[in-house]
Amino acid sequence: MTPLLTQPPLRALLVDDEPLARARMRSLLAQCKDPQVTVVAEAGSSSQARAWLRDNACDLLLLDVQMPGDDGLTLAATLRALPVRPWVVFVTAHPQHALQAFDLEALDYLTKPVRLERLQAALVRVAQRQREREALGQVQPEVALPQEDEEVVPIVERGRLVRVPLAEVLYFKAELKYLTVRTATARHTLEGSLNDWEQRLAGRFLRIHRNALVAKAAVRELDRHAPSDEAHGDSGPMPLDALGDGWAVRVALVNEWLAVSRRQVAAVREALRVGA
């Protein structure tokens, strides 16, 4: 593999309304040697960044989310109009915007305070994508690089980005102010609204209860019982005869039982019938 040092330094535009945050990022970038980064400009707002980008080019935007005026998400959405769209890495103190960021095809989402190793990992990914773009000799990254078919759920855990393939998600379950994202091998915690995910995943996931959204392919059985809270714990699935009255579905791979509200019983039955 060709070493990243053979590439010219990545040209970066820093966009953050806080001068101290931009200064810290400059300091961190100076410590990154593989790949190297040259800060070609700074902007304290989205409008300043847009004005600079009208007459200049860069490879990378290190972009804050919450700023006066248009936020960073709005700025990122306008980049498609550029002849060559720069790669975007969001740098923010607000992890709850990660889903929107990846909808805008951001390459990474770093939470403040940014650790050097996380920044380094993000830059390596940018450099790899930049090499691919240059090797294909295309101007538009949308044309040069096919988008990944596999959808992911971006989750920020302890400052680390975890990209969970949507195909691996068995269910989303609301727990207080957070969502549990369950796969066959792990549980992840995600900030967000179950209603938002229901709209986004309509057709593939089924709302079975006010607090649960289950992959249709993961629904294995419907029975006239409903799990108690203990049935959702890490101690393992509760036996069906230990559950109370009501309706529940058994989730494939993990064999956990989730409560079904009465109004959703018919929809679950239909999902089982169609999937049979």
Side-chain angles (χ1 to χ4, degrees), residues 42-119:
E42 296 184 13
S45 67
S46 292
S47 60
Q48 290 179 9
R50 273 195 296 269
W52 187 89
L53 288 167
R54 277 196 292 267
D55 301 314
N56 302 274
C58 63
D59 304 314
L60 167 66
L61 256 67
L62 289 162
L63 180 59
D64 192 12
V65 173
Q66 293 193 353
M67 297 181 289
D70 290 342
D71 62 17
L73 297 167
T74 302
L75 174 60
T78 68
L79 297 179
R80 290 181 180 274
L82 297 176
V84 180
R85 183 173 56 170
W87 309 111
V88 175
V89 172
F90 281 97
V91 183
T92 176
H94 305 280
Q96 66 269 26
H97 301 294
L99 178 61
Q100 292 172 271
F102 285 101
D103 281 343
L104 294 169
E105 300 173 14
L107 284 192
D108 213 331
Y109 192 94
L110 308 181
T111 54
K112 298 177 181 178
V114 176
R115 294 180 290 113
L116 178 61
E117 56 268 29
R118 279 290 291 117
L119 176 60

Side-chain angles (χ1 to χ4, degrees), residues 230-248:
E230 290 80 3
H232 304 296
D234 292 328
S235 58
M238 293 284 287
L240 189 59
D241 58 9
L243 307 178
D245 294 332
W247 290 95

Side-chain angles (χ1 to χ4, degrees), residues 248-260:
V249 294
R250 181 170 62 85
V251 181
L253 301 179
V254 292
N255 286 325
E256 295 177 10
W257 291 89
L258 298 178
V260 178

Side-chain angles (χ1 to χ4, degrees), residues 165-230:
L166 184 60
E168 296 181 7
V169 176
L170 301 175
Y171 64 76
F172 296 82
K173 188 168 186 294
E175 311 271 3
L176 298 176
K177 296 187 295 182
Y178 300 93
L179 300 178
T180 293
V181 180
R182 184 71 162 107
T183 69
T185 58
R187 296 174 186 268
H188 302 279
T189 300
L190 173 68
E191 292 192 8
S193 162
L194 202 61
N195 290 334
D196 290 344
W197 280 103
E198 181 180 15
Q199 294 176 12
R200 179 183 174 88
L201 303 176
R204 289 173 289 176
F205 280 69
L206 179 67
R207 188 70 171 261
I208 63 168
H209 195 274
R210 67 177 182 276
N211 68 352
L213 190 65
V214 182
K216 288 184 177 180
V219 176
R220 285 293 178 268
E221 184 179 351
L222 174 68
D223 206 314
R224 194 173 178 77
H225 296 273
S228 61
D229 291 340
E230 290 80 3

